[in-house]
Structures are given as C-alpha cells and as structure tokens.
Amino acid sequence: MAVEKKTFYIRTFGCQMNFHDSERISGVLARNGLREVPDGEADLADLIVFNTCAIREKAEQKFLSELGRLRGLKKRRPGLKIAVAGCVAQQMGRELLRKAPFVDCIAGPQNIELLGHSMGLPDCNDNPDCNGKNARRGRFVFLDENQDISSLELPAARKGKPRAWVSIMYGCDNFCTYCIVPFTRGRETCRPSGGILEEIRRLADEGFREVTLLGQNVNSYGSDVDFPGLLAMADRVDGISRIRFVTSHPRDLSPGLIEAIGGLEKLCEHIHLPLQSGSDRVLARMNRRYGFADYMGKIEQLRRRTPGISITTDIIAGFPGETEEDHVATISALGQIEFDGIFAFKYSPRPGTAAASFHDRPQPGVATRRLGELLALQDEITLRKNKALEGSLQEVMIEGPDASVGGKRLSGRTRTNKIVNFGTAACEGANEAGLREADITPGSVVSLKIIKARRHSLEGRL
Ligand code: SAH
Ligand code: SF4
Ligand code: F3S
C-alpha cells in the first residue's frame, strides 16, 4: 500500500528574491518526500511555511496577522508544524518564538535549506545543525550568518514557466540608512559563475525560455567574472531567448553594463534603477552615494546607447528631513526622466537601521499627500508612454493565459517588460499571420501590433 506523503504549504511575502527562496524551500522539501498543496488546501497541510518580508512595517504586520490566525488551527491540529522563514524571521529572531509560541521553527534567508528540520526529514540525519545546538524542546532556530549560501546548489521547484529566477548573489553591503536588507540577508556574497551557467543551461533543457538574474545589487557582482562578463556568458546559452536582471544600484552602473544592454542579443532593453529621491540632500542622508546629476548622467548614457530602453524606479516619500523643496525636486525628477513605471512607498522606519533614529519625519499626512502627488504624476507619464506604442510592432514572449480574465486570452511581455494581452480573435488570425498553433504557446515569441494602450497593460493583435 502506498504511504501517504506528508504535505506542505508555503505563503510568500516580499520581493522576487523571496519568491525564489520559496521555490528553493519547496525544492528541498520535495527532495525529502513532501508534497506541496495549493492555496485551497493550506489548512490541511502537515507543515505551513511563511516566507516573510520586513521591508516596510505594513508587510510585517500583514504576516503577523496571518500568523495569528494559525493559533486556533494549531490547537485543533496539534500535529501541524509551523515554520517562519525569510526577513522577519531573521530580524525578530527568538522574539518571534516568544510572541508566537505555536511556531515550531524559524530560519533566516541564509538558512532556508534547514527549515524542514522541524519535520524530522531525511536531510536532517547527518546534519550537525539539526540536532543539538539549534533545537530546544522540539523548536528549531536557524539564524546564523551563512556565507556558504552562495555556493550551495539547492534544488528549486519553479512555478513560473517559461520564466525562471536565478540567484547570482546574496546579501547587501550598502547600508542605505532606511533599509533592513543588510541586516536580514547579511553580507554580500557572489555565487561562482560556473554554477550559475550550469543552472541556466539546465533551465533551457527543461523548457524555460527567460531567466532573470537576481541580487540586491547585481552591478557589484564579482567572482571569476564581473557582471557584464557574466551576462555575456549567459547570452550564449542555447535555448534561452531572454535575459533580465534585478536590481541595479545607480552608483555601480558601469559603462560595461550600459554597453551590454545595448549590445547583447538576449539581454532585454529594460533596467530597474532605484532613484529613491530627486534631492541630493535626501540622497546623502539615505547614504545612496550618488547625486541626482550622476543619476541623470547614467540615464542619458543608457538612452543614448539603447534608444527605447525602458527604465523603472523606486521612490520613497516622506523620508526624515524631507522638506517641500526636496519633494518638489523628486516631482521634477519624475517629469524630467519620464520613467516607464515607478514603485513608490511612504517611508517606514525599520528597527536597527540608521534612519530609525532620525527624528525629523514629516507628518504622516504630509507623506501621504506627497506619495499621492508622485503616483498621480507618474500615472499620466506611464499612460502617455504606453500610448506612444500604439500602432507599433512588439516582440512578445507568451507567458500564459491573461490572468485578469482567464479563458482563451493570452498574456505576454515585450522586451521592455510591458504586459501585452491578446484575445482569441487575434489567435484566430494566426493562420493568416502564417503561424501554427504550436507557435502560440507559453515560451514562444510572437510579433504583435499594439492596438490599445492602458496604464498597466497593452492590447495586442497578431
Ligand atoms: N536592493 C534594491 C532595493 C531593495 S528594497 C536597491 O537598492 O535598489 C526595494 C525598495 O523598497 C527600495 O528600492 C526602496 O525604495 C524601498 N524601501 C526599502 N526600505 C524602505 C523603508 N524603510 N521604507 C520605505 N520604502 C523602503
Ligand atoms: Fe537596501 Fe540599499 Fe542594499 Fe538596496 S542597496 S538592499 S536599498 S541597503
Ligand atoms: Fe522583503 Fe527581505 Fe525582499 S525584507 S523585499 S523579502 S530582501
């Protein structure tokens, strides 16, 4: 008789790095014979994992309230194991176990591979970390600095075919004064290029067509090759049609990378380059180590080498000491640069960071108003830039069904990372366009005419 496999469910918060960590947690648990269950069966799983984010207070609160709801579930099902991974686990540490005594295991981002130990998995048997020092009364704590994470080749159970994330570095040494990441992800370490390329080749064999190289500051990647060197090697992997990367720090954006974006065939024409503020005074206080003029200079070089490149950014509104004049500088930066899209958030003080002790924060109402102004201006710009694409032909890689409506409509992305949806009628036109059905499946690249632009997506036709 077949033995029922134990099951697990993972709930993920935060950035792409965290989502990829979840794929690896899932890979490690699957290697140990556990079966992952979908959202609908979460409450029945033998192990529930939260992979958490601490970037802003809101993200943390959301996790804590979801975790709170498990208290009752654990009472009803004492056999249930609950594990907390990721940035909140690292940052709160044992305090989390005090606050939530029903949690069985915590593991920081540098120790994700140890997380299943609370389940007594086969991996544990010969692992010295598992027994003894990290376990107390059946509860496990894995928070040690672990630089080896960059050379650990963990299996990943990926979900996003035809797109895949590939980690190239871990941690961050920048210590921007608002940011918790250097505290939760530890010191910067780079994964050797050999392992990265081997993984990309394997992904191509498995049918993945696009890879996104991940790191908090990919421009400072350095092992046996530098970042442009790594990109050039990845660009030569057969079977992969697109390469992307996140995130870039403006200070380290090198001429070599600007050249690579313009020159390499598979490397897409998009860069996410967080500006944070348009005011030099605020940038200095954030410890960003560039001024607005330096940033603008890099934008000009990028656009000169790669006309049509899409550029997106992150902005923080209401940083301590931000005056109306500083805010106007950010507004005028948005107007001048015309980003393709921005992610803007209100500043949120994080425990232990330098800025948490800056006591001159604008009033909450002021920060909210400033954020609103930034978003409203950018909405206009994004729509205007998308409208300019109407009538153009775009190379679109199909990703799957259009998530917003489902059914027969398909969705994909341009090289510049804009979402394009197209409908059944367009598919029926495929024969006329000389395409076979096999040409319109996830992973294939089609040429679409943009017939309508919206703020968050484009409508295309074959
Ligand atoms: N490594 C990336 C950013 C990672 S965090 C980089 O340096 O570009 C993603 C974004 O979250 C940051 O760019 C920043 O805009 C925002 N962020 C980080 N800490 C924040 C905080 N304490 N409050 C508000 N936004 C924050
Ligand atoms: Fe945080 Fe700055 Fe590092 Fe980005 S570069 S992760 S914002 S400390
Ligand atoms: Fe959040 Fe950690 Fe990523 S704090 S944004 S999950 S690095």
Side-chain angles (χ1 to χ4, degrees):
M1 199 178 77
V3 182
E4 272 287 297
K5 278 188 176 182
K6 292 230 176 205
T7 57
F8 68 97
Y9 172 77
I10 308 183
R11 167 83 167 103
T12 310
F13 302 82
C15 60
Q16 301 182 49
M17 224 160 285
N18 236 28
F19 276 82
H20 182 48
D21 281 352
S22 287
E23 294 178 334
R24 296 196 299 175
I25 292 171
S26 172
V28 170
L29 293 175
R31 176 175 75 189
N32 280 278
L34 272 68
R35 178 175 64 83
E36 186 162 7
V37 297
D39 291 352
E41 294 166 41
D43 284 2
L44 303 171
D46 297 301
L47 168 67
I48 297 181
V49 179
F50 284 97
N51 195 11
T52 61
C53 172
I55 201 81
R56 283 168 291 266
E57 200 182 348
K58 255 195 192 150
E60 200 175 301
Q61 287 305 337
K62 197 162 170 224
F63 148 65
L64 288 172
S65 85
E66 285 192 27
L67 179 67
R69 268 187 259 138
L70 290 197
R71 191 186 295 266
L73 187 65
K74 177 101 175 186
K75 269 210 186 103
R76 289 196 299 280
R77 290 182 46 212
L80 165 68
K81 298 282 185 196
I82 299 172
V84 181
C87 290
V88 180
Q90 188 70 38
Q91 185 225 338
M92 286 181 73
R94 289 171 192 275
E95 188 198 334
L96 184 63
L97 291 183
R98 273 193 298 277
K99 272 196 171 165
F102 51 95
V103 168
D104 299 282
C105 174
I106 55 177
Q110 303 166 71
N111 293 291
I112 48 172
E113 82 284 7
L114 301 174
L115 187 144
H117 287 199
S118 51
M119 298 286 292
L121 302 178
D123 267 4
C124 310
N125 296 338
D126 39 57
N127 193 319
D129 280 330
C130 182
N131 308 305
K133 78 175 175 109
N134 292 306
R136 212 186 297 158
R137 279 187 249 130
R139 304 173 88 196
F140 294 79
V141 176
F142 302 107
L143 300 172
D144 291 349
E145 173 96 33
N146 173 24
Q147 298 252 329
D148 296 344
I149 184 87
S150 61
S151 48
L152 261 186
E153 298 291 335
L154 298 175
R158 290 184 163 88
K159 304 199 172 68
K161 222 171 204 174
R163 310 164 78 208
W165 289 304
V166 175
S167 286
I168 65 165
M169 58 202 295
Y170 300 85
C172 181
D173 288 346
N174 281 321
F175 291 94
C176 302
T177 54
Y178 50 80
C179 185
I180 194 111
V181 174
F183 301 91
T184 61
R185 299 224 165 220
R187 297 290 57 76
E188 184 180 291
T189 53
C190 294
R191 182 176 169 198
S193 68
I196 298 173
L197 288 164
E198 210 177 288
E199 183 169 4
I200 298 176
R201 279 187 217 109
R202 203 174 53 238
L203 288 167
D205 288 344
E206 290 169 11
F208 288 91
R209 293 293 165 254
E210 177 180 307
V211 292
T212 301
L213 307 183
L214 291 180
Q216 289 296 353
N217 180 10
V218 288
N219 302 352
S220 71
Y221 177 84
S223 60
D224 42 324
V225 289
D226 62 5
F227 188 52
L230 179 70
L231 288 169
M233 286 152 87
D235 210 66
R236 290 195 290 270
V237 175
D238 287 337
I240 295 295
S241 9
R242 287 182 170 186
I243 299 168
R244 303 183 185 278
F245 59 89
V246 275
T247 296
S248 303
H249 192 295
R251 188 200 40 176
D252 302 318
L253 176 63
S254 65
L257 180 57
I258 294 173
E259 180 50 37
I261 299 171
L264 293 176
E265 184 201 329
K266 297 173 184 172
L267 187 60
C268 290
E269 294 76 29
H270 169 233
I271 188 165
H272 185 67
L273 197 62
L275 169 63
Q276 314 297 3
S277 167
S279 154
D280 286 347
R281 226 175 47 82
V282 174
L283 288 171
R285 237 171 150 217
M286 288 175 163
N287 189 32
R288 291 291 285 177
R289 288 171 289 170
Y290 55 82
F292 180 65
D294 307 320
Y295 186 91
M296 200 58 220
K298 304 232 163 152
I299 297 285
E300 280 159 9
Q301 290 168 37
L302 281 162
R303 287 182 168 155
R304 209 172 307 130
R305 180 63 185 88
T306 311
I309 185 173
S310 114
I311 304 175
T312 52
T313 205
D314 293 342
I315 301 284
I316 296 176
F319 189 72
E322 185 188 75
T323 62
E324 205 53 31
E325 200 186 318
D326 295 322
H327 168 60
V328 169
T330 306
I331 289 273
S332 95
L334 296 190
Q336 194 181 341
I337 295 169
E338 302 201 302
F339 289 106
D340 291 82
I342 67 169
F343 296 93
F345 294 96
K346 262 190 288 184
Y347 168 71
S348 167
R350 305 315 294 134
T353 59
S357 63
F358 299 170
H359 293 300
D360 46 355
R361 281 173 70 191
Q363 292 299 313
V366 171
T368 306
R369 193 245 314 145
R370 289 179 186 165
L371 176 65
E373 288 174 10
L374 294 165
L375 292 172
L377 169 60
Q378 184 58 43
D379 275 356
E380 274 172 43
I381 296 172
T382 307
L383 185 60
R384 185 167 2 108
K385 294 202 81 158
N386 285 351
K387 285 262 175 223
L389 297 175
E390 285 182 355
S392 70
L393 279 180
Q394 296 287 327
E395 183 197 303
V396 173
M397 178 187 283
I398 301 174
E399 288 171 11
D402 176 352
S404 58
V405 292
K408 281 190 171 169
R409 283 174 59 82
L410 291 171
S411 178
R413 255 168 234 263
T414 63
R415 289 179 61 97
T416 51
N417 211 31
K418 295 182 196 266
I419 293 173
V420 187
N421 297 313
F422 58 108
T424 1
C427 290
E428 282 158 6
N431 289 340
E432 293 154 45
L435 288 169
R436 292 162 296 130
E437 206 153 305
D439 296 326
I440 24 184
T441 56
S444 55
V445 173
V446 292
S447 175
L448 294 181
K449 184 169 182 172
I450 304 305
I451 52 170
K452 177 123 189 76
R454 299 189 188 85
R455 208 179 304 129
H456 299 293
S457 66
L458 306 169
E459 178 74 26
R461 179 166 293 162
L462 278 162

